[in-house]
Amino acid sequence: MTTFETFKRDIERAPAAGWKRLGRWLRRQLPTGLYARSLLIIIIPMVLLQSVVAFVFMERHWQLVTQRLSTAVTRDIAAIIDLIDTYPQDANHSEIVRIARERLELNVAIEPGTELPAPRTKPFFNILDEILSEEIVRQIRRPFWIDTVGESNLVEIRILLDNKILRVYARRNQAYASNTHIFLLWMVGTSLVLITISILFLRGQIRPILTLAQAAESFGKGQKMPEDFAPRGADEVRRAGLAFILMRERIERQMEQRTAMLTGVSHDLRTILTRFKLQLALAGDNPDLQGLHKDVADMQTMLEGYLSFARGDVEEDVGQLRLSDLFDKFAMEAELHERAFSSEVDGEDDVMVRPNAFSRLVGNLVSNSMRYAKTVHVEARHRAKWLTIIVDDDGPGIPERSRDDVFKPFFRLDEARNLDASGTGLGLAIARDIARSHGGNVTLSDSPMGGLRATIRIPA
């Protein structure tokens, strides 16, 4: 059963649902791009309009002119037959032949015979054959045979008289509106010219929208915008481009202000921590101060982690990173920690990312797996549109209800997979922040290895 038959059956059973399904199918078949849809908006009405005009022209003008011409030719032939019947004394009918040739522009011949040739196959589309036959039947009412097929400019008509056959040769344009194709050629030619102009105009209007989309996509991935980007095109597109530039400037100013503020906070807090360390050093090796030493070290680690999370490496430019080299570093780290590590790369090995930030993104997830699992496997799938990196381990995993919470800053699990004393509660938060700055995301799920699966998915 074809798709159309399925839609027809659904419409008969449930009209509303069937029409909705047909509408969804049509939307899937239509192009999704603005450029292609705009062309369809222009071309489809033009084609429909010209189809209607051509049909009306064919039905009214072409057929009407052909019918009148065929009527006139048939009337002349009927007059010739009347002359033959009226003046039988002219055995050779030379005068009738002369009158037909000079006055009616018809070449006629009168031959003996009582049988006409077998009817020829009628053409698939030829109104001359149909109209001329109708006129001969209506005016002459005698057996006839016509030949309107072929490349010849002549139309042959044979009329069976009492004991002879009248052969008439008429020019095709005497019985048929043969120059009608000029109208169709003009119609098609002007349509092609208009479509070409529309395509050129639309390209100029769509290009600023595509440029704006590329700039927004680059900004969403943390990349620099094209240097020559400027609002162009129609007023609405210009306003959208200007709004995007202002939004980007506001976001960059906020990020710069946040970074500057955190740099100042870092300087002040580090100064205080340095005083603490100096005072502790002057106090000597006092066992009672061991806890204070540990607190100062933890504060230093938490401060560095928080600053790194808030900064997000936004100042780094996009560059090339080789995944296999990155995975080799993880393999060496796993060997030092006595962990089993394996990796594979499916697709192109080189990716365009912010190298340091992306290395930290994958490194945080791999380090988190190595902390709680004995075996870690990393798989990279580089496709045309998306880069997907999957980190699997055989550790205790994370409960499903807590998988969104672990990405919150300073969130700590009370279960098996908790951060140790050296952790700051920012590893996964930093990972998701970096992934989103690349235009992607990080998600957690169950691993086939029995532990946790972390999936990084960013635009390639």
Side-chain angles (χ1 to χ4, degrees):
M1 183 177 293
T2 63
T3 305
F4 180 78
E5 292 174 347
T6 303
F7 291 149
K8 183 179 179 181
R9 182 196 60 190
D10 293 343
I11 291 173
E12 292 175 352
R13 294 180 179 177
W19 284 114
K20 288 182 179 179
R21 184 179 176 187
L22 179 60
R24 289 194 299 268
W25 180 81
L26 288 175
R27 285 194 296 271
R28 289 195 298 267
Q29 303 305 313
L30 292 175
T32 57
L34 178 60
Y35 184 55
R37 289 189 173 186
S38 300
L39 285 179
L40 287 180
I41 292 174
I42 294 176
I43 293 174
I44 289 179
M46 184 181 299
V47 170
L48 291 177
L49 175 62
Q50 295 196 352
S51 299
V52 173
V53 171
F55 175 77
V56 173
F57 176 80
M58 296 277 291
E59 187 70 19
R60 299 291 178 86
H61 176 77
W62 195 2
Q63 186 172 3
L64 179 61
V65 172
T66 300
Q67 184 171 7
R68 290 181 178 178
L69 292 174
S70 298
T71 301
V73 170
T74 306
R75 187 181 298 119
D76 294 341
I77 296 174
I80 293 173
I81 294 175
D82 290 343
L83 287 175
I84 294 173
D85 293 338
T86 304
Y87 302 99
Q89 63 273 16
D90 188 2
N92 295 326
H93 305 289
S94 57
E95 289 300 319
I96 296 176
V97 172
R98 181 186 64 81
I99 293 172
R101 183 174 59 253
E102 295 179 359
R103 301 300 182 183
L104 304 178
E105 297 183 356
L106 297 175
N107 290 325
V108 301
I110 302 172
E111 302 173 351
T114 57
E115 293 183 1
L116 295 173
R120 301 195 62 173
T121 304
K122 291 185 177 182
F124 175 74
F125 180 76
N126 195 339
I127 62 174
L128 174 59
D129 190 284
E130 180 181 352
I131 294 177
L132 187 58
S133 298
E134 291 177 355
E135 290 299 322
I136 293 175
V137 170
R138 184 176 64 84
Q139 296 188 42
I140 299 178
R141 297 188 183 92
R142 292 175 184 263
F144 67 93
W145 178 90
I146 63 175
D147 180 12
T148 62
V149 184
E151 301 297 333
S152 174
N153 291 326
L154 297 177
V155 175
E156 181 181 359
I157 305 171
R158 299 186 187 185
I159 307 296
L160 180 61
L161 304 179
D162 294 336
N163 55 356
K164 48 187 171 294
I165 296 176
L166 173 64
R167 299 183 66 176
V168 181
Y169 293 93
R171 293 195 307 272
R172 183 179 292 268
N173 57 10
Q174 285 183 266
Y176 174 66
S178 57
N179 61 347
T180 309
H181 64 280
I182 297 177
F183 170 79
L184 299 177
L185 291 177
W186 271 102
M187 186 173 64
V188 174
T190 53
S191 300
L192 294 178
V193 172
L194 291 175
I195 290 175
T196 302
I197 295 174
S198 301
I199 290 175
L200 296 176
F201 177 77
L202 280 176
R203 287 183 61 183
Q205 297 299 313
I206 297 298
R207 189 180 293 112
I209 300 177
L210 297 178
T211 304
L212 176 60
Q214 293 173 357
E217 184 178 3
S218 299
F219 182 68
K221 293 180 180 179
Q223 303 174 0
K224 290 184 177 180
M225 288 197 319
E227 296 180 357
D228 59 344
F229 174 76
R232 296 187 179 91
D235 292 340
E236 293 80 4
V237 181
R238 288 175 179 267
R239 287 200 297 269
L242 181 61
F244 168 73
I245 292 176
L246 295 176
M247 178 194 69
R248 178 182 62 85
E249 292 177 351
R250 287 195 298 269
I251 293 175
E252 289 180 347
R253 282 198 302 268
Q254 291 176 357
M255 297 173 72
E256 290 174 358
Q257 291 173 359
R258 185 183 68 170
T259 302
M261 180 190 68
L262 292 173
T263 301
V265 172
S266 172
H267 179 269
D268 294 341
L269 292 179
R270 284 173 179 172
T271 301
I272 297 175
L273 286 176
T274 301
R275 293 175 183 172
F276 285 170
K277 290 180 180 180
L278 181 60
Q279 292 176 6
L280 290 173
L282 295 175
D285 296 334
N286 189 344
D288 296 334
L289 299 178
Q290 292 298 323
L292 187 57
H293 278 287
K294 186 176 181 304
D295 290 339
V296 171
D298 290 344
M299 288 179 64
Q300 181 74 28
T301 302
M302 293 179 66
L303 177 62
E304 295 295 337
Y306 177 71
L307 291 176
S308 178
F309 166 73
R311 187 171 59 250
D313 295 323
V314 294
E315 70 278 2
E316 185 182 2
D317 293 333
V318 175
Q320 184 172 295
L321 175 66
R322 187 175 293 272
L323 295 174
S324 57
D325 294 344
L326 179 63
F327 294 164
D328 289 342
K329 295 180 181 179
F330 296 152
M332 296 174 60
E333 181 182 350
E335 186 177 354
L336 292 176
H337 291 84
E338 298 180 352
R339 298 290 191 269
F341 179 84
S342 60
S343 64
E344 60 177 303
V345 178
D346 181 10
E348 184 66 29
D349 196 7
D350 296 328
V351 295
M352 295 300 297
V353 292
R354 288 186 281 125
N356 294 332
F358 190 78
S359 299
R360 187 175 187 187
L361 160 62
V362 183
N364 282 3
L365 298 176
V366 173
S367 299
N368 190 59
S369 295
M370 289 183 182
R371 184 178 299 152
Y372 305 107
K374 299 294 184 182
T375 304
V376 179
H377 176 74
V378 180
E379 178 183 359
R381 301 171 185 170
H382 194 182
R383 299 291 184 262
K385 294 184 178 180
W386 294 94
L387 169 64
T388 304
I389 296 181
I390 301 174
V391 181
D392 288 314
D393 63 52
D394 60 351
I398 294 178
E400 185 175 357
R401 64 179 181 275
S402 302
R403 288 173 185 170
D404 288 334
D405 295 332
V406 294
F407 289 105
K408 298 177 181 178
F410 306 110
F411 180 82
R412 293 174 179 269
L413 286 173
D414 293 331
E415 321 226 355
R417 196 156 181 145
N418 197 1
L419 294 175
D420 54 21
S422 62
T424 61
L426 292 172
L428 292 178
I430 293 174
R432 174 168 279 186
D433 185 63
I434 296 174
R436 288 179 173 176
S437 70
H438 282 80
N441 199 7
V442 178
T443 57
L444 302 179
S445 59
D446 294 326
S447 171
M449 298 173 59
L452 184 69
R453 163 172 286 188
T455 303
I456 304 170
R457 193 168 185 262
I458 63 173

